[in-house]
Amino acid sequence: QVQLVESGGGLVQAGDSLRLSCAASGLTFSSYAMGWFRQAPGKDREFVAAVSWSGGVTHYADYVKGRFTISRNNARNTVYLEMNSLKPDDAAVYYCAADSTHRDPSSAGSRYDYWGQGTQVTVSS
């Protein structure tokens, strides 16, 4: 059974940083591209960042580029999202996702087979 468990969310002030983690089990983690998505109340889910199976290739949404960094540790079956200079617009539930078919990162949510339950990020102004 595949499980993705996010952690690290919380309440921060604008300008602060947070590091999200997503621990994976039940899959050959090193074979999967991984992604982070987010969904704010009343809005559609949107892509944030993705990383290739090896960690060598990353892809970011324009609105987080330069502020967020995605990385992975295949030995620990974990993917991370380092978020700096947080803005109120970054507030959302953040989800990690695993793509079992491709090794390269993608912004298309439809490519991801498995999703975590999400972790809340709240940013006060």
Side-chain angles (χ1 to χ4, degrees):
Q1 180 183 357
V2 175
Q3 282 194 316
L4 302 175
V5 180
E6 301 95 336
S7 61
L11 170 63
V12 296
Q13 293 186 331
D16 285 350
S17 299
L18 273 179
R19 188 194 198 200
L20 306 184
S21 300
C22 172
S25 61
L27 73 168
T28 307
F29 181 75
S30 59
S31 297
Y32 287 60
M34 298 295 295
W36 285 97
F37 292 77
R38 67 188 186 186
Q39 187 168 20
K43 296 186 177 180
D44 293 335
R45 183 183 65 196
E46 62 182 10
F47 169 73
V48 175
V51 62
S52 64
W53 64 279
S54 66
V57 181
T58 56
H59 179 42
Y60 295 93
D62 287 343
Y63 36 81
V64 305
K65 200 172 293 183
R67 299 188 298 123
F68 291 12
T69 302
I70 188 171
S71 61
R72 65 190 296 161
N73 184 326
N74 285 346
R76 296 186 174 183
N77 285 5
T78 302
V79 61
Y80 305 96
L81 186 68
E82 184 76 34
M83 304 186 295
N84 298 316
S85 302
L86 282 162
K87 305 175 181 180
D89 284 349
D90 295 319
V93 177
Y94 281 71
Y95 300 90
C96 72
D99 177 356
S100 66
T101 307
H102 308 86
R103 291 193 168 188
D104 55 311
S106 172
S107 60
S110 59
R111 276 200 11 184
Y112 293 83
D113 310 279
Y114 303 104
W115 295 80
Q117 83 290 346
T119 186
Q120 178 73 51
V121 172
T122 304
V123 184
S124 63
S125 57

